[in-house]
């Protein structure tokens, strides 16, 4: 009987850990989980260059885009807009671009190129990554599993195995 209680306690502990993991990660400072998508293209630009601003999925007809490196832009009806980066923007600096959809805000960085970088390169249009922010927050662009996903998976498997042990013991105990 004690083995069943111990297994049940272990299972409840595993479930509590799995339930608490997303809550702990929600407070990791990642402010880019929004109900709408947004992007700045290119992500690196020279002073005086032009960036394209896009937003989709906002329920109101306009999204306001602000930054300390260009004038405020209003995107209407989901159409992209452009902004010209200030010519006196500091090379090598990173500026925060804020997209505001009816009070919900998301941010993304814009890097000012140094030296001979023309800023004319444009990468693939990806938008915003949603979820726990494990790879996006670290600045890497990988599509593999992050630490959070691996730990959560291990805990779920451990919980399932614990439940199987408890059920097996209950069945075996009921026959005796």
């Amino acid at each position: 009987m004690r083995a069943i209680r111990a297994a049940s306690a272990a299972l409840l502990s595993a479930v509590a850990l799995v339930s608490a993991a997303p809550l702990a990660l929600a407070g990791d400072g990642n402010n880019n989980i929004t109900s709408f998508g947004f992007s700045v293209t290119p992500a690196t630009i020279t002073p005086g260059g032009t960036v394209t601003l896009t937003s989709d999925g906002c329920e109101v007809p306009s999204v306001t885009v602000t930054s300390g490196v260009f004038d405020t832009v209003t995107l209407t009806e989901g159409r992209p807009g452009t902004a010209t980066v200030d010519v006196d923007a500091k090379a090598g600096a990173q500026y925060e671009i804020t997209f505001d959809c009816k009070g919900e805000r998301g941010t993304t960085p814009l890097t000012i190129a140094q030296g001979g970088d023309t800023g004319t390169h444009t990468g693939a249009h990806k938008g915003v990554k949603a979820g726990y922010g494990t790879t996006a927050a670290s600045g890497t662009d990988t599509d593999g599993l992050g630490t959070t996903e691996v730990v959560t998976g291990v805990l779920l498997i451990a919980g399932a195995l614990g439940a199987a042990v408890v059920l097996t013991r209950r069945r075996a105990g009921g026959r005796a």
Side-chain angles (χ1 to χ4, degrees), residues 34-35 76 90 101 115 146 176:
T34 62
S35 63
T76 56
K90 184 179 178 184
C101 169

Side-chain angles (χ1 to χ4, degrees), residues 80 86 173:
D86 295 339

Side-chain angles (χ1 to χ4, degrees), residues 69-172:
V69 74
F70 57 75
D71 293 333
T72 300
V73 175
T74 301
L75 306 177
T76 56
E77 303 291 326
R79 288 183 292 238
T82 60
T84 301
V85 175
D86 295 339
V87 293
D88 60 347
K90 184 179 178 184
Q94 199 171 53
Y95 292 88
E96 187 172 88
I97 312 300
T98 303
F99 290 77
D100 187 327
C101 169
K102 66 180 179 178
E104 182 181 8
R105 291 182 176 92
T107 60
T108 189
L110 176 65
T111 304
I112 306 303
Q114 294 189 29
D117 192 350
T118 63
T120 57
H121 56 82
T122 57
H125 176 75
K126 286 187 164 186
V128 175
K129 289 188 176 188
Y132 293 117
T134 54
T135 57
S138 67
T140 60
D141 190 18
T142 62
D143 291 328
L145 292 176
T147 305
T148 304
E149 291 86 0
V150 172
V151 169
T152 302
V154 168
L155 290 174
L156 287 171
I157 291 169
L161 290 173
V165 168
V166 169
L167 291 174
T168 303
R169 289 185 181 244
R170 281 188 184 171
R171 282 191 189 151

